[in-house]
Amino acid sequence: MAELRRILHIEDDPSIQAVTKLALEAIGGYEVLSCSSGAQALEEVERFAPDFILLDVMMPGMDGPETLARLRERIDLQRIPVTFMTAKVQPGEIEHLRKLGARDVIVKPFDPMRLPEQIRSIWAAGR
Amino acid sequence: MESPQASPASPPATSQPRELSRLAALLRYEILDTPEEADFDDFTELAARLCGTPIALISLVDERRQWFKSRVGLEVSETPREISFCTHTILGQEIFEVADARQDPRFRQNPLVTGDPHIRFYAGTPLTSPDGHNLGTLCVIDRQPRQLTAEQRDTLERLARQVIRLFEQRLLARRHAEQAALQQAILDSASSAVLVTRPDGIVSSVNPTAERLLGYSEQALLGHPLTSALFQPQALQRRAAILSSELGVPVEADFAVLIAPLHQGRREMSEWRLRHHNGSEVPVLLGVTAIRDEQERLRGYLVNAYDLAYQEQLQLRLQQIAAQVPGMLFQFHWRPDGAGGFPYVSEGIEQTYGLSPAQLASSFAPIYARVHTTDRAQLLAGIRQAANSLTPWHSEHRVEHPRKGLIWVEAHAKPLRQPDGSILWHGFVTDITARKAEQLELDKQQEMNRRLLEALSEAVIACDADGCLTLFNDRAKQWHGADTAPISPADWARHYRLYQPDGVTPLQAEQIPLMRALHGEHVSDHEMVLLGQDAPRYVLTNADPLYTSDGQPMGAVAVMHDITERKRIERLQREFISTVSHELRTPLTSITGALTLICSEVMGEVPTQLRELLEIARQNSQRLSALIDDLLDMDKLHAGQMRFDLIRQPLRPLLEQALHSNQSYAEQHGVRLHVGECPPVQVDVDAMRLHQVLSNLLSNAAKFSPPGERVDLSAEFGDARVRVSVRDQGPGIAAEFHERVFQKFAQADSSDSRPQGGTGLGLAISKELVERMGGRIGFDSEPGQGACFWFELPCSERPVAASESQP
């Protein structure tokens, strides 16, 4: 059983990017690569070889679902679970996002202290 | 008409008109074919004897025969006219004599000569009526030739005159008998009572009407003095005194009272009260006529009595009826010369014109003078028009009433043309001042209502009980782009383009507020969309059924209020809040996250003083996040975008979970949370939303409790509901705040300056959430006694008994 070490975080907002990275690295002890757009993530994903991908839904240009579809062409989503982060939780949206291939959905605003644990349990559930 | 016989023995033809009037004269005596009478037989017997002949006849000649009223010496009662000797006699004025018929060429071949009775001698004298017609003959006949002496001839002529006199007498007697029978019949059948007296006043005849009227039989009155039998002495005396002074001659208080005026050349009718056989009084109108014979001799008196009881009764009845009629009844007689009068006016005229009936007997002027001057011309024109067309007349006019002032009256009458060209009107007049005032008031009211309707910014529509649209005010016409159309309710939605609030689903007929109101429903704040010519118009409609004063359905009315602008503003507000909230959330997420990380000292130790400030910043950024979450929840609830996944589940674990997640918050306030009684029931709820509600109530309770106190969470079952209560020991809720507890931002409006935290949306959202799950929320609170917030959820299932729930 592989170990969760490397997390790819795709988020356009630099503040959230920073807080998330800090929480996951400082508290969770993970190695985090932050990407500011879907396009950048597609460039980096194979080289970085993440164990887990955290993906923002609302992004300018290529949004979360589209980025997910493009990621699916390059990596095995069964092996590398993708979890969305979204502020907008409309009825049925979580189901919709899961159907797109996401492992789970984390709702913003998130508690940075609990985030590493949340991700770990999602990752563990998929094993 | 028969032609004369052309026989040698025939007499010369007589002139036809003369013969016809002779036959008429003969028939007038009504004697042909009557039985034998001794009076006539005496004359034939005398004639035969005096002339010494075996045969004598009274022969009457009609158009086809001679018929013998009396005969001596002859068996046959008649012979044909053409062979008769008498036919010759009646052509002349004197005796016609044939000495020997066999020698006479006119009669030689006559069968009466050649055969039975073998006439040889004939002498006849005409029976001439007073008007000169020869009706027949008195004749003598012998079977031997002979001649009458001059004396015999003279005797025969005298006898003939006596026979004619006998004819006349007989006729007269018959006429008299008929006359008497006729008179009796008239008397018997007269509708008035008739009593006949002798000249001295003794009753000689009484007709049946009089018998009935007075109660006496004719027999009982015959031979009695009329006045003493039927009249009251006092009345006779009073009348006698009056007459004595009027006529200037003394009049006795007896029968003379009745006849004195007559003998003074006065024919008069007088009213009397006669004594009925049973003692009662009979009011009558009496007329007396003298009966005189041809010689003008007084033979008696005819006393006519007209029954006035019936008249009096009618009069009384009319008076009584008229007294019950509001207003006046009248009969108006209008003569061709324009003059008029009122033969009858009821007492009600005082009420309508302030006049008395007596003032109007012969003139229309007093009424006319009372009519308001401006209404007079129209009144007269109306009467003339009705008189000319003989159609019913109706008028409303004003009257200057001396007692009531200016009043309105209404008159109806029907004209009847009389034979003399005058017109008789029958009608009534009533005071309609009150009705008129009501009418004017009503008109004013209606005008007011109309203006009000047009001034309204709302659209008003109404229909009658049959669903016919009766009213669109200007606004309604404008909004619908149409006026009321005669269409059935089933077509309203299509014709007026009524849609559901979504603007695309047509309204069903039974959903239309006016239709629902027509079915008796009270409709309030029904939202729908009108698609007129312009953009969709959102309206809120209130509708109510209309009833008449006696509770009969009369239709319905609907008032539509345009909320298009409000909807637009609301939408903009929501969009604004939604946008702003989303935009706020992202930076807040970073701020909160950053502060949380710093405060956790993961990055390194934070100096104590700085740490306190950072903690304040962290808590307030979290509070800001909660506010934004609440705002978004509220928005979702209002937009109908919040989904509820109602799942049947046990209640107790939900309560325990809520307690658990709020425990740490409570601890911050030094308050203990406690779960008390909870029946083992299941509820249909969205666990996440129920959790939200419970968290809100528990955090509120903790927040408002003094440190060291306890907050009790419990549930009880009853009446198909389960009630969940959160009870605290705080200061309770001020009475003036009760109404606003569940309003948005209610806390922000509170005068309570104590910093309590919270967004002010929690209870408003909780209320919405509970109601969306089919429940209701409320609270009980006495200031100083703490507060108990509760919500109830439907729960048809009875709680399982404790023993059964044990495994």
Side-chain angles (χ1 to χ4, degrees):
Chain A
M1 178 169 160
E3 196 185 339
L4 172 59
R5 288 193 300 113
R6 298 155 75 88
I7 298 174
L8 179 65
H9 182 215
I10 308 157
E11 164 69 61
D12 62 312
D13 187 291
S15 302
I16 294 187
Q17 218 179 69
V19 170
T20 307
K21 186 176 167 69
L22 202 61
L24 292 179
E25 286 179 349
I27 297 167
Y30 304 119
E31 187 185 336
V32 177
L33 175 64
S34 299
C35 295
S36 297
S37 68
Q40 192 195 347
L42 289 172
E43 276 175 29
E44 302 280 0
V45 67
E46 278 155 321
R47 191 183 50 77
F48 182 63
D51 302 311
F52 194 94
I53 297 174
L54 204 51
L55 178 57
D56 187 24
V57 175
M58 300 252 286
M59 289 185 295
M62 197 188 294
D63 67 359
E66 193 182 342
T67 305
L68 176 64
R70 303 283 286 275
L71 283 172
R72 190 200 298 273
E73 293 165 6
R74 296 169 187 239
I75 55 170
D76 179 4
L77 296 185
Q78 285 300 316
R79 199 173 59 78
I80 308 168
V82 176
T83 291
F84 276 118
M85 287 184 88
T86 180
K88 195 173 182 182
V89 183
Q90 293 294 335
E93 189 165 342
I94 291 174
E95 284 79 359
H96 172 68
L97 294 173
R98 280 183 200 275
K99 273 182 194 152
L100 290 177
R103 180 64 55 80
D104 211 332
V105 178
I106 292 173
V107 179
K108 291 189 208 171
F110 58 92
D111 182 348
M113 299 304 291
R114 288 187 58 234
L115 186 61
E117 192 192 322
Q118 254 178 305
I119 288 175
R120 187 182 302 281
S121 61
I122 292 169
W123 192 79
R127 297 291 104 183
Chain B
M1 198 168 291
E2 292 179 24
S3 55
Q5 297 290 316
S7 141
S10 296
T14 55
S15 90
Q16 211 64 328
R18 177 79 189 153
E19 173 62 5
L20 282 177
S21 78
R22 189 193 71 82
L23 285 170
L26 174 59
L27 289 173
R28 192 167 65 88
Y29 286 96
E30 294 176 16
I31 196 162
L32 289 173
D33 300 306
T34 54
E36 290 177 9
E37 286 174 63
D39 288 353
F40 292 98
D41 292 345
D42 284 350
F43 285 106
T44 43
E45 192 60 49
L46 274 174
R49 280 188 201 169
L50 289 170
C51 296
T53 56
I55 299 169
L57 305 166
I58 293 174
S59 167
L60 298 168
V61 181
D62 71 9
E63 58 186 329
R64 59 178 179 83
R65 57 167 184 170
Q66 61 174 344
W67 177 81
F68 309 127
K69 173 61 186 170
S70 176
R71 59 186 192 272
V72 172
L74 196 65
E75 287 306 309
V76 294
S77 63
E78 59 179 52
T79 60
R81 176 169 175 168
E82 60 268 20
I83 58 171
S84 83
F85 284 68
C86 294
T87 302
H88 294 265
T89 310
I90 62 171
L91 289 175
Q93 303 302 322
E94 292 162 358
I95 285 188
F96 175 67
E97 195 170 349
V98 179
D100 186 349
R102 284 197 182 166
Q103 304 304 318
D104 192 315
R106 292 175 295 185
F107 300 106
R108 190 180 294 153
Q109 303 299 324
N110 190 304
L112 299 173
V113 176
T114 55
D116 203 46
H118 300 289
I119 295 173
R120 294 293 293 274
F121 169 75
Y122 170 90
T125 181
L127 295 171
T128 306
S129 69
D131 53 357
H133 290 297
N134 292 339
L135 308 176
T137 66
L138 173 65
C139 63
V140 289
I141 291 168
D142 200 346
R143 295 186 178 90
Q144 307 294 326
R146 59 179 296 167
Q147 270 192 320
L148 294 182
T149 64
E151 195 183 14
Q152 283 173 322
R153 288 183 166 198
D154 181 57
T155 303
L156 204 57
E157 279 174 347
R158 285 175 191 276
L159 286 176
R161 284 198 292 275
Q162 286 307 313
V163 169
I164 276 296
R165 207 158 285 145
L166 194 57
F167 273 28
E168 285 290 317
Q169 271 175 23
R170 196 175 168 284
L171 185 60
L172 210 58
R174 287 178 75 98
R175 290 283 171 267
H176 277 149
E178 281 171 9
Q179 208 68 40
L182 187 64
Q183 279 171 7
Q184 194 57 49
I186 290 169
L187 216 57
D188 288 352
S189 61
S191 61
S192 66
V194 180
L195 299 111
V196 182
T197 70
R198 301 195 318 227
D200 58 3
I202 302 296
V203 177
S204 62
S205 177
V206 177
N207 79 343
T209 307
E211 289 181 319
R212 276 198 303 276
L213 181 64
L214 301 167
Y216 289 99
S217 69
E218 182 177 33
Q219 214 51 47
L221 289 172
L222 284 185
H224 292 278
L226 177 71
T227 41
S228 54
L230 297 173
F231 286 69
Q232 292 167 330
Q234 300 92 324
L236 287 170
Q237 277 156 17
R238 276 198 302 278
R239 187 78 185 133
I242 293 168
L243 281 176
S244 298
S245 78
E246 275 184 10
L247 302 176
V249 292
V251 177
E252 294 293 320
D254 55 19
F255 191 61
V257 165
L258 300 184
I259 59 173
L262 202 60
H263 292 298
Q264 294 293 320
R266 267 169 54 172
R267 281 186 60 87
E268 61 171 30
M269 302 290 278
S270 51
E271 284 188 30
W272 293 90
R273 303 189 85 81
L274 299 184
R275 276 204 302 253
H276 190 271
H277 184 53
N278 65 14
S280 65
E281 290 183 354
V282 183
V284 293
L285 190 64
L286 226 60
V288 182
T289 314
I291 306 170
R292 295 177 188 279
D293 65 12
E294 309 89 272
Q295 279 77 41
E296 288 296 311
R297 277 178 312 211
L298 182 66
R299 304 310 299 242
Y301 295 97
L302 193 71
V303 180
N304 263 296
Y306 300 94
D307 184 4
L308 291 183
Y310 185 59
Q311 296 264 340
E312 281 186 358
Q313 225 176 2
L314 282 184
Q315 188 70 28
L316 196 67
R317 192 184 303 166
L318 180 60
Q319 258 178 21
Q320 283 169 344
I321 292 171
Q324 298 306 312
V325 174
M328 86 181 220
L329 299 179
F330 68 86
Q331 189 185 46
F332 175 54
H333 191 215
W334 207 31
R335 285 191 292 277
D337 63 5
F342 288 83
Y344 173 78
V345 181
S346 72
E347 298 291 334
I349 192 166
E350 200 286 322
Q351 293 294 320
T352 49
Y353 292 99
L355 298 166
S356 72
Q359 287 173 274
L360 293 163
S362 61
S363 175
F364 175 63
I367 280 194
Y368 192 65
R370 289 273 196 256
V371 175
H372 192 267
T373 45
T374 33
D375 294 350
R376 288 181 187 172
Q378 200 191 348
L379 177 74
L380 279 189
I383 295 177
R384 287 210 183 89
Q385 201 272 328
N388 287 336
S389 57
L390 290 180
T391 49
W393 170 68
H394 172 240
S395 162
E396 287 184 6
H397 52 268
R398 281 164 293 177
V399 170
E400 305 274 7
H401 195 282
R403 191 164 50 75
K404 300 176 172 178
L406 192 67
I407 62 168
W408 274 96
V409 300
E410 178 182 38
H412 290 270
K414 204 174 168 185
L416 281 173
R417 168 101 49 208
Q418 300 299 295
D420 65 357
S422 64
I423 292 172
L424 200 59
W425 305 73
H426 293 90
F428 67 96
V429 184
T430 46
D431 183 346
I432 55 162
T433 311
R435 198 183 81 198
K436 205 75 183 172
E438 274 170 26
Q439 185 61 48
L440 289 173
E441 185 57 34
L442 207 64
D443 288 351
K444 221 161 72 184
Q445 198 73 46
Q446 273 177 353
E447 175 62 16
M448 185 83 160
N449 288 347
R450 201 184 59 73
R451 286 179 187 208
L452 201 68
L453 278 178
E454 299 317 342
L456 280 178
S457 58
E458 275 84 9
V460 180
I461 62 176
C463 68
D464 64 18
D466 299 325
C468 288
L469 292 170
T470 51
L471 168 82
F472 271 30
N473 71 348
D474 284 352
R475 195 71 61 178
K477 288 175 203 163
Q478 182 193 332
W479 289 2
H480 285 307
D483 201 348
T484 54
I487 51 173
S488 91
D491 294 328
W492 286 350
R494 193 178 47 75
H495 190 85
Y496 295 110
R497 310 192 63 196
L498 312 177
Y499 288 84
Q500 307 255 25
D502 64 10
V504 291
T505 316
L507 222 54
Q508 299 296 309
E510 63 271 16
Q511 295 172 323
I512 301 172
L514 190 64
M515 189 68 186
R516 287 164 61 191
L518 192 59
H519 291 146
E521 195 182 333
H522 165 81
V523 182
S524 64
D525 292 343
H526 175 272
E527 193 179 328
M528 60 181 185
V529 175
L530 309 180
L531 288 181
Q533 276 77 359
D534 350 311
R537 189 183 299 276
Y538 291 83
V539 294
L540 268 191
T541 307
N542 292 336
D544 274 302
L546 296 173
Y547 298 100
T548 58
S549 54
D550 59 347
Q552 294 301 305
M554 184 178 118
V557 63
V559 178
M560 294 186 286
H561 184 71
D562 188 346
I563 55 164
T564 311
E565 183 60 14
R566 201 177 88 193
K567 294 280 276 193
R568 196 179 66 83
I569 290 170
E570 277 177 4
R571 199 180 63 245
L572 286 178
Q573 276 177 345
R574 264 207 325 273
E575 281 170 8
F576 174 76
I577 290 171
S578 175
T579 307
V580 167
S581 303
H582 274 113
E583 291 307 316
L584 285 174
R585 183 129 68 167
T586 306
L588 264 175
T589 303
S590 315
I591 295 168
T592 311
L595 288 168
T596 305
L597 286 173
I598 292 167
C599 292
S600 70
E601 295 185 318
V602 175
M603 305 297 123
E605 201 174 325
V606 180
T608 311
Q609 281 189 320
L610 187 59
R611 191 196 158 110
E612 277 176 22
L613 289 171
L614 285 169
E615 188 60 35
I616 291 170
R618 188 186 67 83
Q619 279 180 12
N620 280 288
S621 68
Q622 267 178 347
R623 194 172 147 203
L624 213 50
S625 292
L627 172 61
I628 289 166
D629 284 348
D630 283 353
L631 280 172
L632 287 170
D633 275 351
M634 207 71 215
D635 175 45
K636 276 188 229 161
L637 280 165
H638 277 179
Q641 286 171 346
M642 188 177 281
R643 212 176 72 176
F644 288 83
D645 292 320
L646 299 184
I647 293 165
R648 180 159 298 190
Q649 50 200 305
L651 177 63
R652 191 172 181 98
L654 294 172
L655 300 189
E656 282 168 348
Q657 216 177 328
L659 191 95
H660 182 71
S661 24
N662 285 277
Q663 197 78 55
S664 65
Y665 180 82
E667 280 164 8
Q668 288 172 27
H669 287 85
V671 175
R672 280 179 301 125
L673 299 183
H674 174 258
V675 180
E677 287 290 310
C678 179
V681 291
Q682 300 220 329
V683 285
D684 294 321
V685 292
D686 182 317
M688 193 170 87
R689 301 303 173 196
L690 189 75
H691 188 269
Q692 202 175 340
V693 173
L694 282 167
S695 289
N696 185 265
L697 297 182
L698 287 169
S699 61
N700 273 350
K703 202 159 60 187
F704 287 102
S705 292
E709 288 292 346
R710 196 174 85 172
V711 169
D712 286 302
L713 176 62
S714 63
E716 58 180 333
F717 177 85
D719 199 18
R721 291 183 158 258
V722 62
R723 174 184 281 219
V724 177
S725 305
V726 177
R727 188 179 298 276
D728 66 48
Q729 304 298 323
I733 297 161
E736 61 269 23
F737 187 55
H738 282 194
E739 274 187 18
R740 294 183 292 127
V741 164
F742 291 105
Q743 286 178 8
K744 280 179 261 183
F745 303 109
Q747 190 196 36
D749 290 344
S750 168
S751 58
D752 189 344
S753 59
R754 227 175 91 196
Q756 302 290 1
T759 64
L761 281 170
L763 285 174
I765 290 172
S766 295
K767 180 175 189 302
E768 287 280 341
L769 293 175
V770 167
E771 286 172 0
R772 296 290 172 97
M773 291 188 285
R776 63 191 188 109
I777 195 166
F779 67 93
D780 305 310
S781 175
E782 292 289 326
Q785 303 289 308
C788 176
F789 277 82
W790 51 259
F791 62 86
E792 291 179 343
L793 294 168
C795 174
S796 56
E797 194 183 346
R798 284 201 57 79
V800 183
S803 59
E804 289 170 32
S805 64
Q806 299 290 330

